[in-house]
């Protein structure tokens, strides 16, 4: 089932693009995304026991499923796919968000409320047809079929990253995400800011990937193989080059994560991107960086990871604090949510740097929880901006009076993001502090910094709710209407996932123990 899990979104993207002038093209995309989700969901069926052993130089057990085809052996390139308890949760998250984004675009609820404004802005900028219109029909407000095709392309490449068991294939898939994501920001983003944001996104990503590629090639040359599982089980690369390999890989993955101070592309990209672009950036692309850091960099260069852990931990703690302080002063909703991701990813990296079993599990759990909560926040922020035509906190207010269900969902997502017990955001942050404190010594200061960062998150998210949901009605929010049925259909899986992981975290933590780390 590994090949269909990757192939379905790929061929779905091709079909949607080929029939982009047909009214039903969007629903082909929704169908492909739904089928991909179903295929990924059944991957745990018939899985192995997760025990990794090396017998006579060959590997036995470990992967739930694996498949390998020779591609270009002289280049160490094989089409080698595998899945386990670490990669599968991220693959199912990617498939879920891909389906929700395609459904959001097909239903077009947000475009119906914002189409006139986007059409006017786009005409001012380009002097031509509106980019809010359908690619072929030119009807303002109709969802763009090409956007659905690009969403599926991002899903295809990201799924391939999580399943790749060959380092060269991993790099190719990692880079393949860049082009469709750049196009989503550049073509369908905010007419004023999209060009600069897309260029900055591409520049940072390509620069980081070149450094990462150097580390991968050094590792392959040292190990004599590009088989990720084989290198990890063998203990990684030679200790003499382990720190070099880890540093090169960590820089590349830190750009994508993003880790402070390599984060400056993210707020611009999130602010300029359309809602579905922000959802995929937060829920999928950032996970490529953290997954690569934990599994690839930490897996093939474990000694280097241990040596670099103090530096990585300090940068992560600083990122948590800086992001929290910046968010306290930000006046724009989407930019605030974007900067909050820098802080949340700081928790993930700090937990990984701790190097303990509790730390690694906290990193993996926090990574997945962020992939549910922050996309929900971006869906809500996008819907609010489409209704009010502003994201400025100073121009909003009284949402609980104008749209009580909408305000309730925004409050739920904010409480989950600040780590309220009983919701998914709590476990990753709480156990990150525990994992850092468990190390003792100077790590106690890092644990205290992370705890204070959690306090800052509560402060800026409660400030956001006070500005947006409470107070008297303002002209921007008056009469905007409550959440629609179509919106609730798209948002409810994220709400359910956030509740489920918050109340029953055990099964996910058990899955991580079946992974190769």
């Amino acid at each position: 089932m590994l090949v269909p899990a990757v192939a379905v979104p790929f061929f779905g993207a091709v079909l949607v693009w080929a029939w982009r002038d047909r009214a039903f093209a969007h629903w082909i995309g929704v169908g492909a995304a739904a089928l991909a989700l179903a295929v990924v969901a059944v991957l745990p069926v018939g899985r192995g026991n997760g025990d990794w052993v090396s017998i006579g130089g060959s590997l036995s057990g470990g992967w739930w499923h694996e498949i390998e085809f020779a591609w270009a052996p002289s280049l160490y390139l094989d089409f080698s796919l595998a899945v386990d308890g670490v990669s599968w949760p991220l693959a199912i998250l990617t498939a879920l968000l891909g389906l929700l984004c395609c459904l959001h675009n097909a239903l077009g609820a947000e475009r119906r409320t914002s189409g006139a404004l986007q059409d006017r802005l786009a005409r001012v900028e380009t002097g031509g047809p509106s980019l809010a219109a359908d690619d072929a029909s030119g009807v303002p407000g109709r969802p763009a079929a090409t956007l659905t095709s690009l969403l599926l392309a991002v899903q295809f490449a990201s799924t391939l990253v999580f399943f790749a068991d060959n380092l060269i294939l991993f790099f190719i898939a990692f880079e393949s995400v860049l082009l469709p994501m750049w196009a989503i920001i550049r073509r369908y983003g905010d007419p004023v800011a999209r060009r600069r944001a897309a260029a900055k996104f591409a520049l940072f990503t390509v620069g980081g990937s070149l450094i990462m590629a150097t580390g991968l090639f050094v590792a392959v040359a040292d190990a004599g193989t590009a088989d990720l599982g084989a290198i990890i089980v063998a203990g990684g690369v030679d200790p003499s080059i382990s720190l070099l390999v880890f540093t090169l890989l960590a820089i590349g993955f830190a750009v994508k994560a993003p880790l402070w101070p390599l984060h400056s592309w993210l707020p611009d990209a999130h602010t300029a991107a359309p809602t579905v672009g922000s959802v995929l950036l937060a829920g999928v692309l950032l996970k490529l960086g953290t997954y690569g850091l934990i599994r690839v960099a930490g897996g093939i260069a474990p000694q280097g990871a241990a040596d670099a852990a103090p530096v990585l931990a300090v940068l992560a703690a600083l990122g948590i604090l800086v992001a929290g302080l910046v968010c306290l002063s930000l006046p724009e909703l989407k930019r605030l949510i974007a900067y909050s991701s820098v802080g949340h990813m700081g928790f993930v990296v700090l937990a990984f740097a701790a190097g303990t079993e509790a730390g690694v599990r906290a990193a993996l759990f926090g990574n997945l929880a962020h992939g549910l909560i922050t996309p929900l926040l971006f869906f809500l922020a996008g819907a609010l901006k489409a209704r009010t035509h502003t994201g400025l906190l100073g121009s909003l207010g009284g949402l609980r009076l104008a749209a009580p269900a909408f305000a309730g969902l925004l409050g739920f997502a904010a409480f989950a993001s600040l780590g309220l017990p009983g919701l998914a955001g709590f476990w990753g942050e709480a156990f990150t502090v525990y994992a850092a404190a468990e190390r003792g010594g100077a790590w106690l200061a890092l644990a205290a910094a992370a705890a204070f960062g959690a306090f800052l998150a509560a402060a800026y998210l409660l400030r956001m709710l006070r500005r947006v949901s409470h107070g008297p009605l303002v002209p921007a929010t008056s009469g905007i209407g409550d959440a629609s049925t179509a919106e609730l259909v798209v948002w409810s899986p994220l709400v359910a996932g956030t509740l489920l992981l918050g109340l029953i975290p055990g099964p996910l933590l058990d899955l991580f123990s079946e992974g190769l780390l």
Side-chain angles (χ1 to χ4, degrees):
M1 299 298 284
L2 287 171
V3 172
V6 173
V8 168
F10 173 78
F11 286 109
V14 172
L15 288 175
V16 172
W17 184 84
W19 291 334
R20 61 191 181 279
D21 58 338
R22 307 294 180 87
F24 58 80
H26 317 291
W27 296 104
I28 293 176
V30 172
L35 179 59
L37 177 61
V39 171
V40 174
V42 301
L43 285 176
V45 177
R47 67 182 185 267
N49 59 16
D51 295 329
W52 284 86
V53 296
S54 179
I55 304 175
S58 62
L59 300 179
S60 175
W63 297 123
W64 292 354
H65 308 284
E66 55 183 319
I67 189 170
E68 182 175 355
F69 300 103
W71 189 351
S74 59
L75 299 177
Y76 298 101
L77 175 59
D78 296 320
F79 189 77
S80 179
L81 305 179
V83 62
D84 67 354
V86 172
S87 56
W88 180 77
L90 291 171
I92 197 77
L93 173 66
T94 300
L96 174 64
L97 292 177
L99 173 59
L100 297 182
C101 287
C102 289
L103 188 60
H104 177 274
N105 195 44
L107 294 173
E110 185 174 308
R111 286 181 177 273
R112 284 194 291 272
T113 58
S114 63
L117 176 68
Q118 291 291 329
D119 187 65
R120 177 170 56 83
L121 291 175
R123 289 177 184 278
V124 169
E125 181 197 21
T126 64
S130 167
L131 294 177
D134 181 86
D135 295 333
S137 70
V139 179
R142 178 179 293 179
T146 300
L147 177 56
T148 298
S149 179
L150 292 171
L151 295 172
L152 288 169
V154 171
Q155 180 180 340
F156 151 70
S158 300
T159 305
L160 188 57
V161 168
F162 296 132
F163 287 164
D165 187 34
N166 178 280
L167 291 177
I168 308 302
L169 179 64
F170 173 89
F171 175 73
I172 292 172
F174 197 89
E175 287 304 283
S176 297
V177 178
L178 169 62
L179 187 57
M181 195 68 239
W182 174 87
I184 289 172
I185 298 171
R186 174 62 183 82
R187 185 164 189 181
Y188 298 100
D190 178 79
V192 176
R194 64 188 178 202
R195 289 182 178 177
R196 181 177 180 274
K200 195 171 183 179
F201 165 74
L203 180 63
F204 271 75
T205 300
V206 170
S209 295
L210 290 175
I211 298 173
M212 180 191 73
T214 305
L216 290 176
F217 294 143
V218 171
V220 171
D222 175 77
T225 179
D227 188 310
L228 174 60
I231 297 175
I232 294 175
V233 171
V237 298
D238 189 275
S240 63
I241 63 168
S242 187
L243 181 58
L244 171 64
V245 170
F246 180 81
T247 301
L248 293 171
L249 295 177
I251 291 173
F253 292 133
V255 171
K256 188 80 81 174
L259 178 66
W260 182 89
L262 302 175
H263 68 288
S264 62
W265 64 269
L266 182 69
D268 290 341
H270 269 308
T271 304
T275 296
V276 289
S278 294
V279 167
L280 289 185
L281 275 170
V284 178
L285 266 73
L286 271 60
K287 308 301 169 279
L288 302 182
T290 48
Y291 173 81
L293 183 66
I294 296 170
R295 161 149 288 176
V296 179
I300 68 178
Q303 184 59 52
D307 293 340
V311 175
L312 202 61
V314 169
L315 292 177
L318 286 173
I320 294 170
L321 295 176
V322 169
L325 293 171
V326 170
C327 285
L328 281 173
S329 62
L330 286 175
E332 206 277 333
L333 184 57
K334 284 189 71 175
R335 200 168 187 87
L336 185 152
I337 299 170
Y339 256 105
S340 75
S341 290
V342 177
H344 290 306
M345 291 301 99
F347 276 96
V348 172
V349 175
L350 177 59
F352 165 71
T356 63
E357 182 180 355
V360 174
R361 290 194 181 194
L364 293 171
F365 195 100
N367 200 34
L368 198 72
H370 176 269
L372 291 171
I373 298 166
T374 304
L376 177 59
L377 280 169
F378 275 118
F379 270 131
L380 293 165
L384 183 61
K385 191 171 183 179
R387 286 167 163 80
T388 63
H389 307 311
T390 182
L392 295 176
L393 300 181
S395 299
L396 300 170
L399 185 64
R400 64 186 177 87
L401 300 175
F406 197 118
L409 285 169
L410 184 62
F412 172 87
F415 286 131
S417 185
L418 63 82
L420 186 72
L423 300 177
F426 169 75
W427 299 106
E429 294 187 4
F431 280 102
T432 295
V433 175
Y434 169 79
E438 189 180 29
R439 291 288 301 268
W443 286 83
L444 290 173
L446 298 176
F452 184 66
F455 169 78
L456 290 176
Y460 66 70
L461 286 167
L462 291 175
R463 165 182 172 266
M464 180 268 290
L465 289 178
R466 180 177 63 83
R467 293 284 189 90
V468 175
S469 294
H470 296 273
L473 275 175
V474 297
T477 55
S478 180
I480 61 172
D482 216 335
S484 67
T485 301
E487 289 171 331
L488 293 175
V489 167
V490 173
W491 302 340
S492 58
L494 300 177
V495 173
T498 300
L499 279 171
L500 184 65
L501 291 189
L503 296 174
I504 314 174
L508 181 60
L509 294 172
D510 291 339
L511 273 181
F512 296 151
S513 67
E514 299 182 20
L516 177 61
L517 289 168

